[in-house]
Amino acid sequence: VHNIMQQQFQIDEFKAQLDILAVASELGVLPDKRSGSCYEGDCPTGHESDSHRCFVIWPETQSWHCFSCGRGGDLINLVMVKQEVDFIEACNWLADRFDLPRLATQQMSPEELEAYETQIAERRLIFDILTEAARFYHKSLLADSEMLDHLRNNYGLCDETIKTHLIGYSTGEGLYKHLKEKGFEGDLLRTGLFGIVKLQGLKEFFQHRIVFPYWNGGKFVYFAGRKTDRTPDVEWENGKYKKLPIHSKERNSVSEHITNSWLFGEDSIRGAENIYVAEGITDCLAMLQAGYPTISPGTTRFNNKDLPRLEKLASNANAIYLVPDAE
């Protein structure tokens, strides 16, 4: 178990030291066209594209997506697709190219290696489900002009920010069916996106809330939902923000890969000399929109257990600025 946890930590550290633009350049697939903050070009898979802009890289979220073939993900996925290798081979390809330590899988026993590969597969599946859910919520938002105007007018968010961060809206209906149609089956309840309500059956966790996905290293890893005037007027929906439930003794049906240790905007501060800390998620988005590397705990304070990680994230910073709310 120690070896498995050590390897997962190594992968997270590994991604934190690399930049998707540098990886794309090394692979020979970095597009030369720019549109705002993103790069657009031909897909690394080599399929035909009339526009030659179907493949998009977003440096701000360390992610990529092809709008023709539907593939996408983080920098490791990019290597997997271009080099046609599996996850571990992709990690070691990157290690060799960027002078980083290879994954020490050779030190594992056959049983440990099997358990490790199982853990990696589950983690990727859980985050793939969250990614598809984010796309579903985003499409729901784009189809709702009132909610789009609410984001623009109340928080000053532009359409590019809404698209880049894949901000969404949950109507509370349709997500389970959509995910099943996309081929996801047994692990849906392990994401925390659904719960079983007495006398009502399966119910979506987010009900008429604006949904903010958390990016980390080009993957969606968590969600927070902001209350709207459409949110049901019941006791358990009173909170302004509602965060995805995490794995615990009480919620052991939720995957151990669903945790609330992530910070909103984390990718933006990698290597930054000046870092900004906003209390709320929408304030963080407004700062990111203005070009400031900003993170948010999504609440009024950081958890003590997050301090060592924060120290590491901010190790290159010369200054850290706090951006408090009006109160």
Side-chain angles (χ1 to χ4, degrees):
V1 174
H2 173 72
N3 278 344
I4 293 170
M5 292 178 65
Q6 190 176 46
Q7 291 299 309
Q8 187 55 63
F9 176 77
Q10 185 183 353
I11 290 171
D12 290 342
E13 289 290 292
F14 184 79
K15 289 170 63 176
Q17 296 178 63
L18 297 175
D19 182 81
I20 195 167
L21 296 181
V23 172
S25 179
E26 185 70 19
L27 287 166
V29 299
L30 179 63
D32 56 8
K33 304 182 188 75
R34 294 198 63 172
S35 177
S37 61
C38 67
Y39 291 72
E40 300 175 332
D42 288 312
C43 181
T45 63
H47 66 70
E48 294 293 327
S49 168
D50 293 336
S51 68
H52 300 288
R53 302 174 87 95
C54 62
F55 171 58
V56 183
I57 297 178
W58 291 276
E60 190 171 312
T61 55
Q62 291 292 296
S63 63
W64 66 277
H65 185 73
C66 175
F67 289 93
S68 289
C69 70
R71 304 181 79 168
D74 59 10
L75 54 86
I76 297 177
N77 293 114
L78 187 58
V79 176
M80 291 171 67
V81 167
K82 179 59 180 174
Q83 299 301 104
E84 298 182 343
V85 295
D86 66 20
F87 183 87
I88 293 176
E89 289 175 313
C91 288
N92 288 332
W93 185 94
L94 286 164
D96 294 341
R97 295 302 189 282
F98 292 92
D99 196 26
L100 295 169
R102 281 179 151 238
L103 298 182
T105 51
Q106 69 273 14
Q107 300 174 6
M108 294 183 177
S109 68
E111 293 77 17
E112 286 177 326
L113 183 57
E114 182 180 359
Y116 172 64
E117 290 175 341
T118 300
Q119 283 271 17
I120 287 292
E122 180 184 346
R123 181 181 174 94
R124 289 178 60 205
L125 176 60
I126 291 296
F127 292 162
D128 283 348
I129 294 172
L130 294 187
T131 298
E132 189 55 45
R135 290 175 181 152
F136 177 83
Y137 290 143
H138 183 62
K139 287 180 181 177
S140 294
L141 175 66
L142 295 182
D144 192 324
S145 59
E146 183 181 337
M147 278 299 153
L148 273 172
D149 285 342
H150 178 73
L151 280 171
R152 294 165 181 149
N153 299 331
N154 283 46
Y155 305 114
L157 301 181
C158 69
D159 290 349
E160 183 180 351
T161 295
I162 292 168
K163 179 180 178 181
T164 298
H165 294 272
L166 232 62
I167 300 169
Y169 176 71
S170 172
T171 64
E173 297 179 348
L175 178 60
Y176 189 80
K177 180 183 177 183
H178 173 79
L179 292 173
K180 288 193 70 174
E181 288 174 350
K182 288 293 183 178
F184 298 110
E185 289 286 349
D187 288 272
L188 295 182
L189 295 182
R190 290 179 56 73
T191 62
L193 290 168
F194 307 95
I196 306 295
V197 179
K198 194 174 181 180
L199 302 178
Q200 296 183 44
L202 193 71
K203 198 171 183 66
E204 292 185 23
F205 181 72
F206 294 115
Q207 296 284 320
H208 293 284
R209 286 178 179 263
I210 296 170
V211 182
F212 299 99
Y214 284 53
W215 288 94
N216 181 271
K219 290 284 188 180
F220 288 112
V221 294
Y222 199 57
F223 285 115
R226 177 66 159 83
K227 188 176 182 181
T228 70
D229 56 7
R230 302 178 189 172
T231 306
D233 186 18
V234 290
E235 183 180 351
W236 55 87
E237 294 284 3
N238 282 342
K240 182 165 71 171
Y241 277 98
K242 190 176 179 182
K243 293 187 174 182
L244 200 63
I246 64 172
H247 177 83
S248 65
K249 289 181 180 179
E250 296 74 27
R251 293 196 183 98
N252 57 15
S253 61
V254 176
S255 170
E256 63 186 18
H257 300 298
I258 302 293
T259 73
N260 60 357
S261 61
W262 310 102
L263 303 172
F264 195 88
E266 202 167 301
D267 285 334
S268 73
I269 67 170
R270 62 174 70 216
E273 294 184 358
N274 296 317
I275 291 174
Y276 299 81
V277 181
E279 180 181 320
I281 290 175
T282 51
D283 291 333
C284 181
L285 283 164
M287 293 288 289
L288 291 171
Q289 182 173 281
Y292 296 98
T294 309
I295 56 173
S296 168
T299 183
T300 56
R301 61 179 63 85
F302 291 104
N303 195 306
N304 285 338
K305 65 180 174 59
D306 295 329
L307 296 182
R309 190 153 154 271
L310 276 167
E311 185 177 6
K312 192 154 197 164
L313 284 168
S315 60
N316 294 322
N318 295 325
I320 298 174
Y321 299 90
L322 302 182
V323 186
D325 277 356
E327 66 266 22

